[in-house]
Short mmCIF file of all heavy atoms in Angstrom, two decimals:
data_model
loop_
_atom_site.label_atom_id
_atom_site.label_comp_id
_atom_site.label_asym_id
_atom_site.label_seq_id
_atom_site.Cartn_x
_atom_site.Cartn_y
_atom_site.Cartn_z
N GLY A 23 -27.45 -9.88 19.26
CA GLY A 23 -27.58 -11.33 19.26
C GLY A 23 -26.25 -12.05 19.20
O GLY A 23 -26.17 -13.23 19.56
N VAL A 24 -25.18 -11.37 18.78
CA VAL A 24 -23.85 -11.96 18.85
C VAL A 24 -23.38 -11.98 20.30
O VAL A 24 -22.66 -12.88 20.72
CB VAL A 24 -22.85 -11.18 17.96
CG1 VAL A 24 -21.42 -11.66 18.18
CG2 VAL A 24 -23.23 -11.34 16.49
N VAL A 25 -23.82 -11.00 21.08
CA VAL A 25 -23.47 -10.90 22.49
C VAL A 25 -24.75 -10.98 23.33
O VAL A 25 -25.76 -10.36 22.99
CB VAL A 25 -22.73 -9.58 22.79
CG1 VAL A 25 -22.31 -9.54 24.25
CG2 VAL A 25 -21.52 -9.42 21.88
N GLU A 26 -24.68 -11.72 24.40
CA GLU A 26 -25.81 -11.81 25.32
C GLU A 26 -25.88 -10.53 26.14
O GLU A 26 -24.96 -10.21 26.90
CB GLU A 26 -25.64 -13.04 26.23
CG GLU A 26 -26.80 -13.30 27.15
CD GLU A 26 -26.59 -14.52 28.01
OE1 GLU A 26 -25.61 -15.27 27.81
OE2 GLU A 26 -27.42 -14.73 28.92
N GLU A 27 -26.96 -9.80 26.01
CA GLU A 27 -27.03 -8.49 26.63
C GLU A 27 -26.99 -8.56 28.15
O GLU A 27 -26.36 -7.72 28.80
CB GLU A 27 -28.28 -7.75 26.14
CG GLU A 27 -28.17 -7.33 24.68
CD GLU A 27 -29.34 -6.50 24.18
OE1 GLU A 27 -30.36 -6.41 24.92
OE2 GLU A 27 -29.23 -5.94 23.08
N ASN A 28 -27.65 -9.53 28.74
CA ASN A 28 -27.62 -9.64 30.20
C ASN A 28 -26.21 -9.96 30.71
O ASN A 28 -25.86 -9.62 31.84
CB ASN A 28 -28.61 -10.69 30.68
CG ASN A 28 -30.05 -10.20 30.59
OD1 ASN A 28 -30.30 -8.99 30.61
ND2 ASN A 28 -30.99 -11.11 30.49
N ALA A 29 -25.42 -10.63 29.86
CA ALA A 29 -24.03 -10.88 30.23
C ALA A 29 -23.23 -9.59 30.28
O ALA A 29 -22.35 -9.41 31.13
CB ALA A 29 -23.39 -11.87 29.25
N MET A 30 -23.52 -8.68 29.35
CA MET A 30 -22.84 -7.38 29.38
C MET A 30 -23.20 -6.61 30.66
O MET A 30 -22.34 -6.00 31.29
CB MET A 30 -23.21 -6.56 28.14
CG MET A 30 -22.49 -6.98 26.89
SD MET A 30 -22.69 -5.81 25.52
CE MET A 30 -24.32 -6.25 24.93
N ILE A 31 -24.47 -6.65 31.01
CA ILE A 31 -24.88 -5.99 32.25
C ILE A 31 -24.15 -6.62 33.43
O ILE A 31 -23.67 -5.92 34.33
CB ILE A 31 -26.41 -6.11 32.43
CG1 ILE A 31 -27.13 -5.34 31.31
CG2 ILE A 31 -26.84 -5.60 33.80
CD1 ILE A 31 -28.62 -5.58 31.26
N GLY A 32 -24.04 -7.95 33.40
CA GLY A 32 -23.37 -8.66 34.50
C GLY A 32 -21.92 -8.27 34.66
O GLY A 32 -21.45 -8.02 35.79
N ILE A 33 -21.16 -8.18 33.56
CA ILE A 33 -19.73 -7.87 33.69
C ILE A 33 -19.51 -6.40 34.02
O ILE A 33 -18.51 -6.04 34.64
CB ILE A 33 -18.93 -8.26 32.43
CG1 ILE A 33 -19.43 -7.53 31.18
CG2 ILE A 33 -18.97 -9.77 32.23
CD1 ILE A 33 -18.57 -7.78 29.94
N ALA A 34 -20.44 -5.55 33.63
CA ALA A 34 -20.33 -4.14 34.02
C ALA A 34 -20.45 -4.02 35.54
O ALA A 34 -19.73 -3.23 36.17
CB ALA A 34 -21.40 -3.31 33.34
N GLN A 35 -21.32 -4.82 36.12
CA GLN A 35 -21.56 -4.75 37.56
C GLN A 35 -20.49 -5.49 38.36
O GLN A 35 -20.02 -5.00 39.38
CB GLN A 35 -22.95 -5.31 37.88
CG GLN A 35 -24.08 -4.48 37.28
CD GLN A 35 -25.44 -5.14 37.40
OE1 GLN A 35 -25.54 -6.36 37.61
NE2 GLN A 35 -26.50 -4.37 37.25
N SER A 36 -20.09 -6.68 37.89
CA SER A 36 -19.19 -7.52 38.68
C SER A 36 -17.71 -7.26 38.42
O SER A 36 -16.87 -7.47 39.29
CB SER A 36 -19.49 -9.00 38.42
OG SER A 36 -19.21 -9.33 37.06
N HIS A 37 -17.38 -6.81 37.19
CA HIS A 37 -15.98 -6.63 36.82
C HIS A 37 -15.63 -5.18 36.45
O HIS A 37 -14.53 -4.92 35.97
CB HIS A 37 -15.63 -7.53 35.61
CG HIS A 37 -15.55 -8.98 35.92
ND1 HIS A 37 -16.63 -9.70 36.42
CD2 HIS A 37 -14.52 -9.87 35.82
CE1 HIS A 37 -16.27 -10.97 36.58
NE2 HIS A 37 -14.99 -11.09 36.23
N ASN A 38 -16.56 -4.28 36.68
CA ASN A 38 -16.34 -2.86 36.36
C ASN A 38 -15.89 -2.68 34.91
O ASN A 38 -14.99 -1.88 34.60
CB ASN A 38 -15.30 -2.24 37.31
CG ASN A 38 -15.29 -0.72 37.24
OD1 ASN A 38 -16.33 -0.09 37.05
ND2 ASN A 38 -14.11 -0.12 37.36
N VAL A 39 -16.52 -3.44 34.02
CA VAL A 39 -16.20 -3.34 32.59
C VAL A 39 -16.94 -2.15 31.99
O VAL A 39 -18.15 -1.97 32.22
CB VAL A 39 -16.57 -4.64 31.86
CG1 VAL A 39 -16.42 -4.47 30.35
CG2 VAL A 39 -15.69 -5.79 32.34
N THR A 40 -16.25 -1.34 31.22
CA THR A 40 -16.85 -0.22 30.52
C THR A 40 -17.46 -0.74 29.22
O THR A 40 -16.80 -1.48 28.48
CB THR A 40 -15.80 0.86 30.22
OG1 THR A 40 -15.27 1.34 31.46
CG2 THR A 40 -16.42 2.02 29.46
N LEU A 41 -18.68 -0.33 28.92
CA LEU A 41 -19.41 -0.84 27.76
C LEU A 41 -19.63 0.25 26.72
O LEU A 41 -19.97 1.39 27.05
CB LEU A 41 -20.77 -1.39 28.18
CG LEU A 41 -20.78 -2.52 29.22
CD1 LEU A 41 -22.21 -2.85 29.60
CD2 LEU A 41 -20.06 -3.76 28.69
N VAL A 42 -19.46 -0.14 25.46
CA VAL A 42 -19.86 0.68 24.31
C VAL A 42 -20.73 -0.20 23.44
O VAL A 42 -20.29 -1.26 22.98
CB VAL A 42 -18.64 1.18 23.52
CG1 VAL A 42 -19.08 1.86 22.24
CG2 VAL A 42 -17.79 2.12 24.37
N VAL A 43 -21.98 0.21 23.21
CA VAL A 43 -22.93 -0.65 22.49
C VAL A 43 -23.64 0.15 21.40
O VAL A 43 -24.22 1.21 21.67
CB VAL A 43 -23.98 -1.25 23.45
CG1 VAL A 43 -24.97 -2.13 22.68
CG2 VAL A 43 -23.30 -2.07 24.55
N ASP A 44 -23.58 -0.37 20.18
CA ASP A 44 -24.25 0.27 19.04
C ASP A 44 -25.37 -0.60 18.46
O ASP A 44 -26.22 -0.10 17.74
CB ASP A 44 -23.23 0.58 17.93
CG ASP A 44 -23.85 1.25 16.73
OD1 ASP A 44 -24.45 2.34 16.90
OD2 ASP A 44 -23.75 0.71 15.61
N VAL A 45 -25.36 -1.90 18.77
CA VAL A 45 -26.34 -2.82 18.20
C VAL A 45 -27.08 -3.54 19.31
O VAL A 45 -26.52 -3.82 20.37
CB VAL A 45 -25.67 -3.84 17.25
CG1 VAL A 45 -25.16 -3.14 15.99
CG2 VAL A 45 -24.52 -4.57 17.94
N TRP A 46 -28.36 -3.87 19.04
CA TRP A 46 -29.26 -4.32 20.09
C TRP A 46 -30.03 -5.55 19.62
O TRP A 46 -30.37 -5.67 18.45
CB TRP A 46 -30.21 -3.18 20.47
CG TRP A 46 -29.44 -1.92 20.73
CD1 TRP A 46 -29.02 -1.01 19.81
CD2 TRP A 46 -28.92 -1.49 21.99
NE1 TRP A 46 -28.28 -0.02 20.42
CE2 TRP A 46 -28.21 -0.27 21.76
CE3 TRP A 46 -29.01 -1.98 23.28
CZ2 TRP A 46 -27.58 0.43 22.78
CZ3 TRP A 46 -28.38 -1.28 24.30
CH2 TRP A 46 -27.68 -0.09 24.05
N GLU A 47 -30.32 -6.43 20.55
CA GLU A 47 -30.93 -7.71 20.19
C GLU A 47 -32.29 -7.57 19.53
O GLU A 47 -32.62 -8.33 18.64
CB GLU A 47 -31.08 -8.59 21.45
CG GLU A 47 -29.90 -9.50 21.68
CD GLU A 47 -30.18 -10.53 22.74
OE1 GLU A 47 -31.02 -11.42 22.48
OE2 GLU A 47 -29.57 -10.47 23.81
N ASN A 48 -33.10 -6.66 19.99
CA ASN A 48 -34.49 -6.57 19.52
C ASN A 48 -34.79 -5.24 18.85
O ASN A 48 -35.86 -4.66 19.05
CB ASN A 48 -35.46 -6.80 20.70
CG ASN A 48 -35.27 -8.16 21.33
OD1 ASN A 48 -35.40 -9.18 20.65
ND2 ASN A 48 -34.96 -8.20 22.62
N GLU A 49 -33.82 -4.76 18.06
CA GLU A 49 -34.04 -3.48 17.38
C GLU A 49 -35.35 -3.51 16.60
O GLU A 49 -35.68 -4.51 15.97
CB GLU A 49 -32.88 -3.21 16.41
CG GLU A 49 -31.54 -2.98 17.09
CD GLU A 49 -30.41 -2.78 16.08
OE1 GLU A 49 -30.69 -2.56 14.88
OE2 GLU A 49 -29.25 -2.84 16.48
N PRO A 50 -36.10 -2.39 16.67
CA PRO A 50 -35.78 -1.09 17.25
C PRO A 50 -36.08 -0.95 18.74
O PRO A 50 -35.92 0.14 19.28
CB PRO A 50 -36.64 -0.14 16.42
CG PRO A 50 -37.86 -0.95 16.11
CD PRO A 50 -37.36 -2.35 15.89
N GLN A 51 -36.55 -2.02 19.39
CA GLN A 51 -36.65 -1.98 20.84
C GLN A 51 -35.26 -2.20 21.43
O GLN A 51 -34.44 -2.89 20.84
CB GLN A 51 -37.62 -3.06 21.35
CG GLN A 51 -39.07 -2.85 20.93
CD GLN A 51 -39.71 -1.63 21.59
OE1 GLN A 51 -39.14 -1.01 22.49
NE2 GLN A 51 -40.89 -1.25 21.12
N VAL A 52 -35.00 -1.60 22.56
CA VAL A 52 -33.68 -1.72 23.18
C VAL A 52 -33.83 -2.12 24.64
O VAL A 52 -34.90 -1.97 25.24
CB VAL A 52 -32.88 -0.40 23.08
CG1 VAL A 52 -32.64 -0.02 21.63
CG2 VAL A 52 -33.58 0.74 23.82
N ASN A 53 -32.76 -2.61 25.20
CA ASN A 53 -32.71 -3.06 26.58
C ASN A 53 -32.42 -1.87 27.48
O ASN A 53 -31.28 -1.40 27.55
CB ASN A 53 -31.63 -4.14 26.72
CG ASN A 53 -31.61 -4.77 28.09
OD1 ASN A 53 -32.03 -4.18 29.07
ND2 ASN A 53 -31.09 -6.00 28.15
N CYS A 54 -33.42 -1.38 28.17
CA CYS A 54 -33.27 -0.18 28.97
C CYS A 54 -32.58 -0.43 30.31
O CYS A 54 -32.39 0.50 31.10
CB CYS A 54 -34.61 0.51 29.16
SG CYS A 54 -35.07 1.52 27.73
N SER A 55 -32.20 -1.67 30.57
CA SER A 55 -31.29 -1.94 31.69
C SER A 55 -29.85 -1.77 31.24
O SER A 55 -28.97 -1.52 32.06
CB SER A 55 -31.51 -3.37 32.21
OG SER A 55 -32.80 -3.53 32.74
N LEU A 56 -29.62 -1.91 29.94
CA LEU A 56 -28.27 -1.82 29.40
C LEU A 56 -27.91 -0.41 28.96
O LEU A 56 -26.79 0.05 29.20
CB LEU A 56 -28.15 -2.79 28.21
CG LEU A 56 -26.83 -2.82 27.44
CD1 LEU A 56 -25.66 -3.15 28.36
CD2 LEU A 56 -26.91 -3.84 26.30
N VAL A 57 -28.83 0.29 28.35
CA VAL A 57 -28.53 1.61 27.77
C VAL A 57 -27.88 2.56 28.76
O VAL A 57 -26.83 3.14 28.47
CB VAL A 57 -29.81 2.25 27.16
CG1 VAL A 57 -29.54 3.69 26.75
CG2 VAL A 57 -30.31 1.44 25.98
N PRO A 58 -28.45 2.76 29.96
CA PRO A 58 -27.91 3.81 30.84
C PRO A 58 -26.52 3.53 31.38
O PRO A 58 -25.82 4.47 31.77
CB PRO A 58 -28.93 3.86 31.99
CG PRO A 58 -30.13 3.11 31.51
CD PRO A 58 -29.63 2.10 30.54
N ILE A 59 -26.10 2.26 31.41
CA ILE A 59 -24.80 1.94 32.02
C ILE A 59 -23.66 1.95 31.00
O ILE A 59 -22.51 1.70 31.34
CB ILE A 59 -24.85 0.59 32.75
CG1 ILE A 59 -25.08 -0.56 31.77
CG2 ILE A 59 -25.89 0.61 33.85
CD1 ILE A 59 -24.97 -1.94 32.42
#
């Protein structure tokens, strides 16, 4: 919730940003568009 998860997905795709993520907006549910990248 400190970081917008869809924004992380966006910069990974558009700016080739490498992501490391340990915390998730809707824990214990996670964003399965974000996890694999």
